Amino acid sequence: MPPGSHFKSLGEQPSILEDEPQSHAGLAQACRIFRGILTVSLALPSSSPATIRCASVLTVQMYSEHQPLMAHPDLQSQHDKPHVEKEKDPVQIAEPTNLQRARSRFLKGVSYFSGDMEVFGKWMEKQFFLLQLLDWVLRGAAQVMFVNNPLSGLIIFAGLILQNYWWALNGFVGTLFATISALILQQNRGAIAAGLYGYNGILVGLLMAVFSNAGDWYWWLLLPNIFMSMMCPIVSSALASINSRWDLPVFTLPFNILVCVHMVATGHYNHHFSQVLIQPLSELPNITWADIDVPKLFMSVPVGIGQVYGCDNPWTGGIFIISLFISSPITCAHAVLGSAVGMVSGLALAAPFGNIYFGLWGYNCVLACIAIGGMFYALTWQVHLLAITCAFFCAYLGSAIANIMSRFGLPACTWPFCLSALTFLLITTGTNKIFKLPLAKVTYPEKNLRFFWKLKKQEKLERKQREEETDRDRERDRVCFSV
């Protein structure tokens, strides 16, 4: 009889399981396995080697699938055996202690005004436009230091008022009109709300007032201030379309470009908008270590932080430090560290003591150290050392750029910071301890670090799952080959 007739006759036989009682579930499974093996063996020619090989593999697979049931042939079904559930004792959750409650309340309260004040930002979305605009202006003032916090911005404006009323007014006007210009151009509303279109405006307004030779309260200066501030979003958008190809920020490049354009266009000898005269060194400075003023040397650290906004008052720099600490202690620590690195670099390069006391060696290092130390890289001790290295490189580069720019009667502005930070953001490395954050995920260092930890935990879990799947595949292959 041909093999097909055997298969047909087998298929016409009544099922073994139809009359079997449910209490013999294990025996029924064994019969089903035997019938599958017999079906495959009859369907193939008896002389074919595939018959034996296929039957063997099928036997192993079906045996492994039904091994738990076959291991307990006397297992009763749920219909035959009453379903009895053991009553589990309810897990008693320990109530938090008073110390834990106080800590939770404290952290919740701190979150309302620290970081990027996310809860306050969501609340501001439902307020009227003028109040939102004020929030955007304050955030733009703080974004110079990579801080997205309106409370920090308010404190920064308080420091500017302490330094000079006229400078503070020009900074506010610059931030306001830069933000309005971004709204007119219909830029990304989220970026506007974060102050990313206002920080270049405040720098343009401040430094145009600082470098003006007309003195304070020269009201005509507000005209070029407003115009150049409104140009900031245009230059920022143009540079962002280029830097986005490498996922890089524009930093303060628009401010550098526009202030230099204004100063070159006007210059020192101008009837309306005269600039201060900047000249290169023409003689060897008289430097003796006996003349160094140690208290002023230490005060150059807060002064260097204040010089980010063009301020030379140490009390103003101290207020800026407080504003940074409120938002991010990591940012505050790297700001102080960067200013100290700039001071040490100035001493190492035999810079005039007056320039060091004035904070001119610190402000670019402050920004560079903040940018690399936890802002655009997830903070690890390797990244911390990288930030210090970037600050030293920025100090040397700042001296070189200042000597070059002074030949043209221009200040160094923040060109050293931009060039050094962009250089360190473009490096490649084989270690996973130096992780550059995607630009869309950058917030503030503490939150960036939490994102990095979460990402590493997820990668570790996925790696473990892949290893388990690989082990299962190898075990399955080993069983098949052994059979």
Side-chain angles (χ1 to χ4, degrees), residues 37 46 49 61 90 96 98 111-112 121 146 212 243 283 307 315 329 347 388 413 460 462 469 476 480:
I37 298 172
S46 59
Q61 291 180 350
N98 293 332
S111 66
Y112 286 130
F146 305 101
S212 175
N243 290 11
E283 60 182 5
Q307 280 289 1
W315 292 104
L347 295 175
I388 296 175
C413 294
K460 185 178 180 180
E462 292 177 354
E469 292 176 0
R476 191 182 302 111
C480 291

Side-chain angles (χ1 to χ4, degrees), residues 194-236:
L196 295 178
Y197 286 99
Y199 69 93
N200 280 293
I202 188 174
L203 289 178
V204 167
L206 282 171
L207 273 298
M208 286 179 64
V210 170
F211 292 120
S212 175
N213 203 31
D216 295 344
W217 307 109
Y218 182 66
W219 294 99
W220 291 107
L221 185 63
L222 293 177
L223 296 178
N225 180 358
I226 293 173
F227 176 74
M228 286 297 182
S229 298
M230 296 187 72
M231 288 294 298
C232 286
I234 298 176
V235 180
S236 297

Side-chain angles (χ1 to χ4, degrees), residues 198-431:
Y199 69 93
N200 280 293
I202 188 174
L203 289 178
V204 167
L206 282 171
L207 273 298
M208 286 179 64
V210 170
F211 292 120
S212 175
N213 203 31
D216 295 344
W217 307 109
Y218 182 66
W219 294 99
W220 291 107
L221 185 63
L222 293 177
L223 296 178
N225 180 358
I226 293 173
F227 176 74
M228 286 297 182
S229 298
M230 296 187 72
M231 288 294 298
C232 286
I234 298 176
V235 180
S236 297
S237 180
L239 293 175
S241 63
I242 299 174
N243 290 11
S244 60
R245 300 180 181 179
W246 297 277
D247 201 32
L248 294 174
V250 297
F251 289 133
T252 54
L253 288 173
F255 151 70
N256 291 324
I257 294 172
L258 293 172
V259 166
C260 288
V261 167
H262 171 73
M263 295 188 69
V264 171
T266 55
H268 177 66
Y269 303 101
N270 189 281
H271 289 289
H272 300 295
F273 307 108
S274 176
Q275 308 298 321
V276 296
L277 183 62
I278 299 176
Q279 293 179 333
L281 292 175
S282 58
E283 60 182 5
L284 186 67
N286 185 15
I287 298 176
T288 57
W289 289 104
D291 296 335
I292 193 170
D293 193 337
V294 178
K296 287 186 178 180
L297 194 65
F298 281 100
M299 280 195 301
S300 68
V301 174
V303 171
I305 296 175
Q307 280 289 1
V308 174
Y309 293 87
C311 301
D312 60 348
N313 189 332
W315 292 104
T316 299
I319 291 175
F320 292 166
I321 292 175
I322 295 174
S323 70
L324 296 179
F325 183 80
I326 288 175
S327 176
S328 170
I330 295 178
T331 298
C332 179
H334 281 89
V336 174
L337 183 61
S339 185
V341 167
M343 179 261 291
V344 173
S345 301
L347 295 175
L349 290 178
F353 292 150
N355 292 347
I356 299 176
Y357 301 153
F358 202 58
L360 298 181
W361 279 83
Y363 71 95
N364 277 297
C365 301
V366 168
L367 295 174
C369 198
I370 293 174
I372 304 301
M375 183 57 63
F376 295 96
Y377 283 107
L379 184 61
T380 59
W381 69 266
Q382 292 91 340
V383 170
H384 181 67
L385 295 178
L386 188 68
I388 296 175
T389 305
C390 182
F392 274 109
F393 175 72
C394 183
Y396 277 71
L397 184 62
S399 179
I401 292 179
N403 290 333
I404 295 174
M405 299 285 282
S406 62
R407 303 286 178 180
F408 303 95
L410 296 174
C413 294
T414 57
W415 287 107
F417 149 66
C418 293
L419 296 179
S420 59
L422 290 174
T423 301
F424 275 70
L425 287 178
L426 286 171
I427 63 174
T428 57
T429 177
T431 177

